[in-house]
Amino acid sequence: MALSKGERTRERIVAAAAPLFNRRGYAGASMSDLMTATGLEKGGIYRHFESKDALALAAFDHAVALHGQRIRACVEEAEGAVDRVSALANALAQSIDEGVLAGGCPLLNTAIESDDGDDASYAELRARTRTAMRRLISYTRKIIEAGVASGELTARIDAAAEAESIVATLEGALMLSKLYDDPRYVRQAAARVAVQARQWAR
Amino acid sequence: MALSKGERTRERIVAAAAPLFNRRGYAGASMSDLMTATGLEKGGIYRHFESKDALALAAFDHAVALHGQRIRACVEEAEGAVDRVSALANALAQSIDEGVLAGGCPLLNTAIESDDGDDASYAELRARTRTAMRRLISYTRKIIEAGVASGELTARIDAAAEAESIVATLEGALMLSKLYDDPRYVRQAAARVAVQARQWAR
Amino acid sequence: MALSKGERTRERIVAAAAPLFNRRGYAGASMSDLMTATGLEKGGIYRHFESKDALALAAFDHAVALHGQRIRACVEEAEGAVDRVSALANALAQSIDEGVLAGGCPLLNTAIESDDGDDASYAELRARTRTAMRRLISYTRKIIEAGVASGELTARIDAAAEAESIVATLEGALMLSKLYDDPRYVRQAAARVAVQARQWAR
Amino acid sequence: MALSKGERTRERIVAAAAPLFNRRGYAGASMSDLMTATGLEKGGIYRHFESKDALALAAFDHAVALHGQRIRACVEEAEGAVDRVSALANALAQSIDEGVLAGGCPLLNTAIESDDGDDASYAELRARTRTAMRRLISYTRKIIEAGVASGELTARIDAAAEAESIVATLEGALMLSKLYDDPRYVRQAAARVAVQARQWAR
DNA sequence: ACCGACGGGACCGCCCGTTGTT
DNA sequence: AACAACGGGCGGTCCCGTCGGT
């Protein structure tokens, strides 16, 4: 399918910018960094994005899309709610692996960086983070609800609350794993989520 | 009074800088911000700190100390492992309340901001965050262990793993509450931790 | 035309910076001074030089090149060792003339300013000054040696020592002329050098 | 004899400031440097000098006095114009020795640093340098004149011109010795001066 | 007599963004 | 479509000097 040269360049820029923003943060990544990462001069970048903010948003969307795709891919390989919940936990846990998206889970990073209520330039980034996080929680909830509907999981659980808890636990564990540069924390958290899912199945 | 004028000013600066750094991040808070926050000119600040980095570290230590004191105070009011674990969860959950320390839990914030391995200026901040987080987890573990030792809690649990899980869950929930500006997430997480602690008591 | 716009601007900056550094010294000339001298904003200058140091080095090289060219031009007009030595002395003496290079002999200035052993930022400047001075002395020596070889000058003189002495005398006299804003000292020194050269010819 | 405590401190400051200014230059030595060199706080220094300029002038005078005393002491040990001229040359050559006055001959240094005609703050320093240099040349001239008057030296020489030439040569050689961190240049220059003085005696 | 606290300003370096120019 | 040149401004740091205190 035909992307024009300009569109391909745009994609290249976004793909190069995403890990950079994810590692250094939106404010921490400079146009200089982006220039070296993309191999383009400033003019070349500004041709495709009207501002650094606009590029940051595109890069964030790209990162979130990658992140979401990987999670959905893992989940859809599994069958049944228990396995799917486990798969989702494992997939989220893999966010720390370099190679997936350098810098870890973009939702976590952006949620923390863009939390300053005053700053206007973060508003849109924050809004998108909220939406993406909502989607992640909602996706988790639907997996649980499907399990309940099919009878695989007990009806006594509150799917919405459990979904929030799962995401919170995993993101918190991701933070610890990043802090200590040690995957143990997320792995353990993912294992716990899997255990709990199995308990819901009894 | 034991503090000289300079020492008092130093404390004032640190006290004013701590929430600023905690909200805007270490890189995001500028010396200009610090000047307006402290009411001092740049020269006055640099009299007490040899660099912005040094001030940031002092402010971080201050924030962590405040954070830790508040938690310990809550915990020590409670009796018994179950209540103490619940108290700790509630105390951590209060980190989002403005008024305690604007900007939320400093450990969470710094862990995320200082995660770029390359940056040399973050190294010390990161090291201190690790130590402080280790202490928080360790403190939690000791509460559980004391409960096990006294027979209040079942010996079947792995205190270290549970402590890590509790902290991860609460920090992850703090992130969600900050993202959505809604205390619901942390409150729910704290409630869950309390429920689980009660289950260990049976 | 062989120079691009950027290269021309770079030359303009160097040409404007050279007399400024030569007059005020490397540390004494500020970026503000350079901005007004070049008519560019800081951003425009930093486009062409990565630091003030780099610009200072380029300006020094430029000054030395100008200085050397003028001397060589004077010397090459003369025939015979005696006249050439005299021409070199006169050319060096002209270093004080404003219009040639404001601020006097760059070798003298830089040798004095960059003499603090501790300062790292002066190291390269100092190294280049040494090289340039070595070249000046060496150039003088070769003129004398050529005179000896052709039989014009007596073989009893030590060309290397005489070259050093000539340069030392002229530079010292330049210093006096600058101090008193009076060309008498260098003129007299140049005259002496010429007299001595004539004595070598007998 | 009785100097008050304040006067002694003042002397201490000047003695500590002199080598510092001589090495780093007037502008290059900061009040911070002076504080560490003197062991005093800023307030302690400004109690005795109304400005950095005033201290610099006092330090310059001190340096020049030291310098002059050493030279006169060397000269007065010698008898006869030839030996005295040689002694003066040797004494001046010793200016490069650390331990005498770190940073070399203060006249040379100040003459070069304060040569920017525009700068008002250098005016007084420059004026004093002129006076001190005039004195040095004049002192040299008088030694020669005394030799002529006593019949030790030929009357065919122009004492004033020879004095200027001697000082110029030695200062120029000092510059070379400082540049290359090699006493050879000044030593050779001093030897040449001695040889010439002996020729005047025939 | 000396210390310590602070102000206000200048320093260099880097930032992001715009505008000609290939 | 991309580069290269440049503007204007803010970043942290260090400067010199004053002034209240001891």
Side-chain angles (χ1 to χ4, degrees), chain C residues 29-32 42 46 50-52:
Chain C
S30 73
M31 286 303 301
S32 273
K42 230 175 299 198
Y46 271 86
E50 68 172 4
S51 67
K52 185 188 163 190

Side-chain angles (χ1 to χ4, degrees), chain A residues 4 25 31 34 73 98-100 105 110 141 163:
Chain A
S4 71
M31 286 303 300
L34 292 164
E98 296 293 322
V100 174
C105 173
T110 318
R141 178 175 48 80

Side-chain angles (χ1 to χ4, degrees), chain A residues 116-138:
Chain A
D116 189 0
D118 303 357
D119 203 323
S121 78
Y122 277 127
E124 177 60 20
L125 195 59
R126 189 174 162 82
R128 297 200 189 185
T129 307
R130 285 176 164 171
T131 300
M133 187 71 82
R134 193 146 33 220
R135 231 172 248 165
L136 175 60
I137 294 172
S138 177

Side-chain angles (χ1 to χ4, degrees), chain A residues 101-120:
Chain A
L101 175 66
C105 173
L107 300 183
L108 176 59
N109 295 334
T110 318
I112 298 300
E113 187 185 0
S114 70
D115 68 352
D116 189 0
D118 303 357
D119 203 323

Side-chain angles (χ1 to χ4, degrees), chain C residues 49-67:
Chain C
F49 300 93
E50 68 172 4
S51 67
K52 185 188 163 190
D53 292 40
L55 172 50
L57 291 176
F60 175 74
D61 289 346
H62 181 78
V64 168
L66 278 182
H67 193 246

Side-chain angles (χ1 to χ4, degrees), chain B residues 29-32 42 46 51-52:
Chain B
S30 74
M31 287 303 301
S32 276
K42 243 178 282 205
Y46 269 85
S51 67
K52 186 188 162 189

Side-chain angles (χ1 to χ4, degrees), chain B:
Chain B
M1 67 127 192
L3 265 59
S4 70
K5 186 185 178 197
E7 283 163 336
R8 267 184 288 121
T9 304
R10 200 194 131 100
E11 297 298 318
R12 249 196 335 132
I13 296 173
V14 169
L20 221 162
F21 279 121
N22 202 43
R23 283 171 35 113
R24 297 228 220 278
Y26 156 68
S30 74
M31 287 303 301
S32 276
D33 296 334
L34 291 164
M35 284 163 62
T36 51
T38 58
L40 290 176
E41 294 300 312
K42 243 178 282 205
I45 297 176
Y46 269 85
R47 164 87 202 161
H48 298 282
F49 300 93
E50 67 171 2
S51 67
K52 186 188 162 189
D53 292 40
L55 172 51
L57 291 176
F60 175 74
D61 288 346
H62 181 77
V64 168
L66 278 183
H67 193 246
Q69 279 165 25
R70 207 172 39 71
I71 291 172
R72 277 192 300 276
C74 290
V75 168
E76 283 161 16
E77 279 184 3
E79 304 250 340
V82 169
D83 284 1
R84 288 195 161 192
V85 167
S86 303
L88 181 139
N90 286 327
L92 247 178
Q94 284 169 19
S95 299
I96 47 153
D97 295 350
E98 296 293 321
V100 174
L101 174 67
C105 174
L107 300 184
L108 176 59
N109 295 334
T110 317
I112 298 300
E113 187 185 1
S114 72
D115 68 351
D116 189 0
D118 303 357
D119 203 323
S121 78
Y122 278 127
E124 177 60 20
L125 196 59
R126 188 176 165 80
R128 297 200 189 187
T129 307
R130 284 176 166 172
T131 300
M133 186 70 83
R134 195 148 29 221
R135 232 171 247 165
L136 175 60
I137 293 173
S138 174
Y139 184 63
T140 308
R141 176 175 49 79
K142 280 174 190 156
I143 295 174
I144 299 173
E145 284 173 350
V148 170
S150 74
E152 180 184 356
L153 303 184
T154 172
R156 284 211 310 273
I157 56 177
D158 178 348
E162 296 298 340
E164 286 170 5
S165 174
I166 288 172
V167 170
T169 301
L170 288 167
E171 293 288 356
L174 273 171
M175 181 270 289
L176 290 178
S177 277
K178 272 178 63 172
L179 176 59
Y180 291 111
D181 198 18
D182 181 350
R184 189 167 56 84
Y185 300 90
V186 266
R187 294 216 183 115
Q188 213 144 43
R192 279 178 165 270
V193 168
V195 167
Q196 186 159 49
R198 257 173 266 134
Q199 289 177 345
W200 293 335
R202 297 214 195 104

